Amino acid sequence: MHTLHWDLFCRVVDNFGDIGVCWRLAADLGARGERVRLWVDDASALRWMAPDGAAGAVGVELHAWPDAAADIEPGDVVIEAFGCELPEAFVRRMASAADPPLWINLEYLSAEDFAERAHKLSSPQATGPGAGLRKWFFYPGFTPRTGGLIRERDLRARQQALDAPAWLAAHGAAADPGDRIVSLFCYEQPALPALLDHLAQQPTLLLATAGHAARQVAALLGPTLRRGALRAVELPALSQPDFDHLLWASDLNFVRGEDSFVRAQWAGKPFVWQIYPQHDGVHLDKLDAFLARFNAGAELRAFWHTWNAVTPHLPPLPPLPDLLAWRHECEIWRDALEAQADLVSQLLRFAAETR
């Protein structure tokens, strides 16, 4: 299979989840020998998210959007991430090319059934600057009938090689003997006071990530960052590899959005997901679709539902399920996902077959 040239377009909506997914995708393609141009309208997060800044991935060139307007010829594959609309001038050049590129709309991750039905469907473009082209829809997912999840080829080996205590100590978060280590990455979270009360009942080291999590924890715990048997540490902004290290070094991970949700599953540790809230409540359907695929028990469902409640009057936060049994379930789930083809492998195969 010869090397392809990929154009990956990303618009940053908020919270940097879009650029987080796109950077991992671009970096994984580059690590496999592909050439990638990443077009993004706000690359500021890459200063801390990407290793060594935006220059931290072999095979990846960073370009500002909308500088794709005039004179750069499209590559072999063009991906518009999460339904972002490509610059019209770029689409016109795609349509006028002697060998038009493969045009892929990479969709948001979902465990719902429609992801299987819509995966690899095509949409012929009859009008507009892309008339005559065909756009293909590619759905990441959790089953063999979807596009899979981003998983680097050396991911499990890197996890096994991590010296977790040394990594924690280097980040000012050395654990005491007997500590339960909990990481927290969240949006605004009205259930956080109740969680802190829960965690304070046994020796716990809470690792609060920079941003929403650290700010809320500091406001609730005060300058000592302590309550009962709980002590918290505010972490600096972490690169994506270090965020993986955080998940691997913890006993329980609270994550949010899409990218960290996927990385928590690869960690094989107990995790709680705060899904991105939508005003019409459809995010709760997505939440339940995943819980159904995960075959979550009643305790876990109750906890996740309360953690994702958006009403002003929250139900009581249920107790956390037993971590040992929960971890075993997460490891089984991770192993089943690893048996499926990952997202980049599927994209490469699809490009080879379709072009």
Side-chain angles (χ1 to χ4, degrees):
M1 186 182 299
H2 68 280
T3 298
L4 298 177
H5 198 152
W6 301 66
D7 286 298
L8 172 56
F9 285 82
C10 172
R11 283 195 183 277
V12 178
V13 179
D14 57 10
N15 294 299
F16 304 114
D18 309 82
I19 185 62
V21 172
C22 288
W23 181 257
R24 285 199 194 270
L25 175 59
D28 196 7
L29 282 166
R32 302 188 195 207
E34 304 297 295
R35 294 179 298 153
V36 185
R37 289 186 298 225
L38 174 59
W39 304 90
V40 60
D41 62 341
D42 180 3
S44 59
L46 294 181
R47 288 195 296 267
W48 50 266
M49 182 183 293
D52 304 318
V58 174
V60 180
E61 297 176 5
L62 187 64
H63 292 262
W65 189 337
D67 290 352
D71 57 359
I72 294 182
E73 291 303 312
D76 302 300
V77 184
V78 176
I79 297 179
E80 56 179 30
F82 313 125
C84 66
E85 294 186 7
L86 302 181
E88 285 192 6
F90 195 83
V91 177
R92 289 193 190 96
R93 291 197 301 279
M94 291 165 57
S96 63
D99 185 13
L102 173 63
W103 186 0
I104 295 174
N105 182 357
L106 182 66
E107 289 286 351
Y108 286 103
L109 174 64
S110 178
E112 294 171 289
D113 291 340
F114 76 81
E116 292 186 337
R117 297 193 301 270
H119 181 51
K120 293 184 182 179
L121 291 183
S122 66
S123 174
Q125 305 295 294
T127 61
L133 295 176
R134 184 181 296 269
K135 184 192 298 188
W136 298 84
F137 294 90
F138 214 87
Y139 279 81
F142 305 96
T143 71
R145 293 175 60 190
T146 65
L149 304 173
I150 296 175
R151 184 181 78 245
E152 301 83 2
R153 290 176 295 183
D154 63 347
L155 183 61
R156 181 70 81 97
R158 287 192 287 114
Q159 181 176 0
Q160 293 171 342
L162 177 70
D163 184 339
W167 185 88
L168 289 168
H171 288 77
D176 294 332
D179 272 349
R180 169 181 56 183
I181 304 173
V182 179
S183 75
L184 178 66
F185 182 48
C186 64
Y187 304 117
E188 293 295 325
Q189 182 46 264
L192 187 55
L195 176 66
L196 297 181
D197 286 341
H198 272 345
L199 297 180
Q201 295 172 18
Q202 71 179 77
T204 300
L205 174 62
L206 177 65
L207 306 176
T209 55
H212 291 296
R215 177 180 51 76
Q216 292 175 87
V217 167
L220 290 167
L221 296 183
T224 65
L225 293 179
R226 290 179 178 269
R227 177 180 298 175
L230 166 69
R231 63 187 178 95
V233 172
E234 297 179 64
L235 295 174
L238 298 173
S239 68
Q240 287 188 328
D242 269 329
F243 188 83
D244 286 338
H245 298 161
L246 170 66
L247 299 177
W248 302 342
S250 299
D251 301 308
L252 169 62
N253 294 304
F254 286 80
V255 293
R256 73 179 204 200
E258 179 171 324
D259 180 59
S260 65
F261 174 46
V262 172
R263 306 312 285 194
Q265 292 171 68
W266 292 135
K269 301 289 187 70
F271 65 98
V272 178
W273 181 33
Q274 186 180 10
I275 191 171
Y276 186 82
Q278 296 173 267
H279 70 278
D280 54 5
V282 297
H283 61 290
L284 298 178
D285 294 333
K286 295 178 182 296
L287 186 82
D288 283 333
F290 177 78
L291 287 169
R293 290 208 182 275
F294 189 73
N295 198 26
E299 278 188 316
L300 190 60
R301 285 176 178 270
F303 196 97
W304 280 38
H305 282 165
T306 305
W307 191 245
N308 283 277
V310 293
T311 58
H313 303 293
L314 289 173
L317 191 65
L320 285 163
D322 176 73
L323 284 185
L324 192 60
W326 190 0
R327 177 167 178 167
H328 180 62
E329 293 170 1
C330 290
E331 289 172 344
I332 292 174
W333 174 256
R334 177 192 60 190
D335 292 346
L337 291 178
E338 282 188 336
Q340 302 172 26
D342 64 272
L343 178 63
V344 168
S345 294
Q346 293 205 48
L347 282 169
L348 289 168
R349 184 164 60 245
F350 183 67
E353 295 169 351
T354 309
R355 291 189 75 255

